[in-house]
Amino acid sequence: MRLRRPSLLSPRDRDALLKDALAELPAPARRLFLKRGLTLGGLSLLTGCSVVDEDSAERLLVHVSRFNDRVQAWLFDPNRLAPTYPESMMTRPFPFNAFYGRDEVPEVDGDDYRLEVGGLVTDKHAWSLPELYALPQADQVTRHICVEGWSAIGKWGGVPFATFLKRIGADLSAKYVGFECADDYYTSIDMATALHPQTLLTFTYDGKTLPPEYGYPMKLRMPTKLGYKNPKHIVALTVTNTYPGGYWEDQGYNWFGGS
Ligand SMILES: Nc1nc2c(c(=O)[nH]1)N[C@H]1C(S)=C(S)[C@@H](COP(=O)(O)O)O[C@H]1N2
Ligand SMILES: [Mo]
C-alpha cells in the first residue's frame, strides 16, 4: 500500500477555496458568513470535512454545494410546514426570554390598546383587542427555537396573519412586514412568511389570554422562524418595500432567521 502525501494548501489556495465556497452558499447564509467572517474552521464545522489538502478541499466544496441545495429547499419553500405536536408534548413551564429580565416585562393596558397599522394598506384604522378577537381564530402546537440554545413546545392561538393582512387590504406583493413592540423591540419578515399558513397573530397561550411575559397582548408566532423573529407585545405593524431591519438583526443576526 502506498501512502499518499497530502499536498498542503498554500494561503493562496485557502483564499481561493473560501471564495469558491462562498459563491456556493445561498444568499442568506452568504450574508451571515460575510458578516461573521468565513473561515475554513467554520466551513469545516458546517460540513464536517476538515481541509488539509487538495482532495479534502474538493470534498468540502461538494459538501457546501449539497448543503446549498438543502438550505435553499428548506428556507425558500413557501409551502414547507413546520412540525406540529400533541398537547401532551408541551414544555411546562414554557421559558421566558427577552433582551431584559422578567421584572421588566412591559405592562400593556388592554382597554386602551390599539394595534396601529400603516404603510401599503388600504384600511389604516387602529384595531382594539375585541375587534381582533372577533376575527377567525386558529391554534397550533409548535416548537419555538431560540438561537441561545433552547427550544420549547407551546400552544398559541390567534388569527392567521394572511387573513389579517387581507382584511386590512395589504399590498401582498410588498417585500416586508415590519413590527414595533411595546418594549422597543422591533423586527421584520418577508411577505412569503407573513402569508405562510402557520403564521398566526396570537392572543392566547395554552388556551388562555397571552400572559404578559409571553407577549401580551399579542405575539406573532411563526414556527418556520427562529425565536427572535417572533415579536411579542406588538403595537404597530407596517407593510413596506423599505427594509425595516430588527433589534437583533441590526446587531448581526441573520435577517431571514429560518428555523
Ligand atoms: N417584544 C419582544 N419580542 C421578543 C423578544 C423581546 O425581547 N421583545 N425576544 C425574542 C426572543 S430572542 C425570543 S427567544 C422569544 C421568547 O419568547 P418567550 O418569552 O415567549 O419564550 O421572543 C422574541 N420576541
Ligand atoms: Mo431567542
Side-chain angles (χ1 to χ4, degrees):
M1 187 170 102
R2 198 165 65 93
L3 276 177
R4 202 148 62 85
R5 237 183 185 207
S7 52
L8 288 173
L9 293 179
S10 67
R12 229 225 197 116
D13 290 343
R14 293 169 75 98
D15 283 353
L17 175 64
L18 283 176
K19 230 174 122 204
D20 288 352
L22 206 53
E24 288 284 351
L25 288 167
R30 185 158 60 228
R31 275 198 299 274
L32 184 67
F33 271 111
L34 281 172
K35 267 190 182 150
R36 299 264 172 92
L38 181 71
T39 61
L40 279 183
L43 276 177
S44 301
L45 273 179
L46 195 69
T47 57
C49 310
S50 61
V51 183
V52 286
D53 55 22
E54 271 171 35
D55 284 355
S56 52
E58 197 66 37
R59 276 199 301 277
L60 177 118
L61 281 181
V62 171
H63 264 81
V64 171
S65 66
R66 283 196 198 132
F67 168 80
N68 180 2
D69 294 340
R70 281 207 318 273
V71 171
Q72 300 263 31
W74 182 248
L75 290 181
F76 298 116
D77 177 0
N79 302 314
R80 175 174 71 88
L81 292 181
T84 56
Y85 302 87
E87 290 189 21
S88 60
M89 283 182 72
M90 285 171 65
T91 308
R92 296 180 194 277
F94 194 82
F96 160 80
N97 196 36
F99 65 91
Y100 43 79
R102 213 177 254 267
D103 50 333
E104 284 174 73
V105 168
E107 285 169 36
V108 176
D109 178 346
D111 295 336
D112 291 349
Y113 176 88
R114 296 291 181 276
L115 173 65
E116 282 174 34
V117 167
L120 305 169
V121 302
T122 52
D123 177 0
K124 291 196 177 162
H125 100 270
W127 291 68
S128 70
L129 290 177
E131 283 179 296
L132 290 166
Y133 297 161
L135 293 169
Q137 310 279 310
D139 57 40
Q140 63 198 10
V141 181
T142 52
R143 184 185 293 278
H144 173 117
I145 303 168
C146 173
V147 286
E148 286 174 42
W150 57 270
S151 82
I153 295 173
K155 179 177 146 186
W156 291 269
V159 60
F161 197 47
T163 304
F164 181 72
L165 287 175
K166 285 170 195 157
R167 197 63 73 94
I168 61 176
D171 175 356
L172 303 181
S173 70
K175 283 194 189 147
Y176 312 104
V177 183
F179 301 88
E180 284 166 43
C181 307
D183 57 359
D184 294 337
Y185 198 76
Y186 62 104
T187 187
S188 53
I189 59 170
D190 53 289
M191 185 58 81
T193 301
L195 298 174
H196 187 279
Q198 289 177 309
T199 297
L200 301 181
L201 188 60
T202 65
F203 314 110
T204 67
Y205 182 77
D206 197 9
K208 298 183 193 78
T209 303
L210 199 64
E213 68 267 37
Y214 301 145
Y216 181 81
M218 76 194 64
K219 170 177 184 166
L220 188 76
R221 185 55 204 134
M222 294 170 285
T224 56
K225 292 280 195 210
L226 292 168
Y228 64 88
K229 300 296 298 178
N230 290 235
K232 305 193 286 186
H233 318 289
I234 302 167
V235 294
L237 64 85
T238 316
V239 176
T240 177
N241 285 313
T242 309
Y243 176 69
Y247 182 90
W248 290 116
E249 293 88 334
D250 292 349
Q251 299 177 55
Y253 278 36
N254 176 247
W255 177 76
F256 196 79
S259 73

